[in-house]
Amino acid sequence: MSGLSCARTLGRDSVERSPVGPSRRPSGTATSTGRPEASRWRALWVTLVAGFMILLDVTIVAVALPSIQRDLGASPAAVQWVVSGYALTFALALVPAGRLGDTIGRRRIFLGALAAFVLCSIAAGAALTITLLVIARMAQGIAAGCLAPQNSALIQQMFTGAERARAFGLFGATVGISSAVGPITGGVILALATGPQGWRWIFFVNVPVGAVALVLGYRLLPRVAPGKKGHLDLSGVALIGCGVVAVLLPLVQADSGGVRRLWWLFPVGALLLVGFGRWERRVAAQGGEPLLHPRLMTETRGYATGASLATLYFMGFSGVWIVFALFFQNGLGYSPLQSGLAVTPFAVGSAGAAVVAGRLVERMGRLLTVLGLVGVIVGLAAAALLLRFAPPSVAVWAAAPALLVGGIGSGFVISPNVTMTLREVPVQMAGAAGGALQTGQRLGGAVGTAALPGTYYLVLASSGDDYRLAVAASVGVGIAAILTALGIALIERRTNPGSTAAPCAPEVAHGHCHATQS
């Protein structure tokens, strides 16, 4: 047996020592976090329910857009902002809200954002005009963006060692399932809430769920003293905010020609984001408090790789569901509910695999992500080929096993990557780091949801309405992005063999960690 020692980076004096192996304490006993084990897991479920709700709202509304347009007499461009406005403000709030949670308290931001989300859901459901609905949705997006980074930060705060990996496994399952079941959930709600006003229940359903989560969160979330007080880097907020808006705005308006009209915002956004990076380095060099510390990218092992991988994966992953919905509904004549049920195998596989992956990532590390990406590529490629060449009457049944394989692979990607990206981030920076990670996911998702449907319509127009060729070609574009993510994972595994080892337990006194290697 030989000792494997790995040096920790930022702020290790404030990180609590934790066991590497699975916890075997009886339920209800105290842990290194200072909270009974059962109480911490109940608190986790509260955050997961809230996280599921806000992520579900990214996609659930899409199936209700035709009903909203008819009922409110809105134009296609205006009704698109019901989806786009939420996505835009969601991404805009993530990093500043993560930093605020680090400084003034994650519990406080979580509860405040959850209460605001519930109120905005009421306003959206009760909106009498499309303008009021869009305003409510944009406010709802801000609340969601403030809540989202607190989820991963609270996991960092409440759990350590192997328990943290299990918690991130559940968190990853929540992310994957919420992305996949949005169309299904929306279809079920519209099927149950009949009539021209039925779309309002898409928003009202958040109210009882959010209210219960708010009460339980108030009782269960840990009351921990906030981090070091300091001023918020307002210049950094302005730079990253304007940069994110400039990059996202053409993409969220892609359906109404936004990319063609607003293409010039892409280089503007890139310059602003580069300027944000340079500004943050300057603030850090002068001993200030940057919004997102540069050393997260340069010195925190696994963070830069994980953030890049997540952005590329969501670029290929997110747009696939829109393409499948277009194919099943417009190409095969399915109802919204049938269309959602057709991709259920992917959601089921992703949910089950993500929970298992939370236990495996401690032993397998980045290898698990590599295997997962291969599974997603194989599953989506097989599904695309079956939808292209199998008879339409049996195509959806033939593609179900392939989608199940892709879903299992996805479960081995999202939650392990979150764990490996954030596991060495100091707890006092967990909110900002989680916010930046999710910002990358939202940016990647926006690119994918613009590029893949764009490819679908382009192939459809050039092939004389060949829906089967269009779905195969657009899913192929998504696979190309996932292949790039696979390349990043393979490079990290080759250049950083330590990424395949279990994470070390930090030593408070010396800032080092030790694990045993056979």
Side-chain angles (χ1 to χ4, degrees), residues 200-406:
R200 298 184 184 276
W201 286 99
I202 293 284
F203 306 108
F204 286 147
V205 74
N206 293 329
V207 178
V209 177
V212 172
L214 187 63
V215 172
L216 293 177
Y218 182 82
R219 294 182 58 187
L220 295 173
L221 291 180
R223 298 176 181 269
V224 178
K228 179 182 176 182
K229 298 289 184 180
H231 75 283
L232 184 64
D233 179 13
L234 295 178
S235 297
V237 171
L239 284 168
I240 193 173
C242 293
V244 168
V245 169
V247 172
L248 277 182
L249 189 58
L251 295 171
V252 299
Q253 288 294 287
D255 288 348
S256 58
V259 175
R260 184 179 64 254
R261 290 183 290 104
L262 302 172
W263 62 267
W264 54 273
L265 282 176
F266 289 127
V268 171
L271 288 173
L272 287 168
L273 293 175
V274 169
F276 168 74
R278 293 175 64 89
W279 172 259
E280 296 298 278
R281 285 195 295 270
R282 177 183 175 185
V283 172
Q286 294 176 348
E289 300 174 18
L291 184 66
L292 187 66
H293 205 293
R295 283 186 290 173
L296 282 171
M297 289 292 184
T298 59
E299 298 180 20
T300 303
R301 190 178 68 172
Y303 187 82
T305 300
S308 302
L309 190 153
T311 300
L312 287 164
Y313 181 71
F314 273 78
M315 192 180 298
F317 168 78
S318 301
V320 165
W321 309 116
I322 297 179
V323 168
F324 281 150
L326 291 171
F327 172 73
F328 288 127
Q329 293 183 47
N330 298 337
L332 300 184
Y334 285 14
S335 69
L337 178 57
Q338 291 173 319
S339 174
L341 291 174
V343 296
T344 299
F346 194 102
V348 171
S350 179
V355 176
V356 175
R359 300 177 182 271
L360 295 178
V361 68
E362 291 289 301
R363 297 195 299 269
M364 299 179 65
R366 185 56 73 191
L367 175 61
L368 187 61
T369 313
V370 170
L371 295 175
L373 288 167
V374 171
V376 175
I377 292 166
V378 170
L380 288 181
L385 290 173
L386 288 166
L387 293 176
R388 170 71 178 93
F389 294 109
S393 59
V394 299
V396 64
W397 299 107
L403 289 174
L404 179 63
V405 171

Side-chain angles (χ1 to χ4, degrees), residues 4 44 98 161 217 283 336 482 488 499 508:
L4 174 66
L44 172 67
V283 172
I482 299 172
I488 290 176
S499 66
V508 176

Side-chain angles (χ1 to χ4, degrees), residues 190-201:
L190 291 179
L192 294 175
T194 56
Q197 303 289 316
W199 62 267
R200 298 184 184 276
W201 286 99

Side-chain angles (χ1 to χ4, degrees), residues 441-512:
Q441 293 174 355
R442 300 274 73 80
L443 288 172
V447 172
T449 53
L452 270 64
T455 302
Y456 180 87
Y457 284 121
L458 181 64
V459 174
L460 200 63
S462 62
S463 64
D465 291 341
D466 188 340
Y467 288 96
R468 300 167 71 188
L469 177 62
V471 70
S474 51
V475 171
V477 173
I479 291 173
I482 299 172
L483 277 168
T484 309
L486 176 60
I488 290 176
L490 288 170
I491 290 172
E492 187 201 22
R493 186 164 183 266
R494 182 175 180 179
T495 58
N496 182 17
S499 66
T500 62
C504 302
E507 294 288 353
V508 176
H510 305 293
H512 290 77

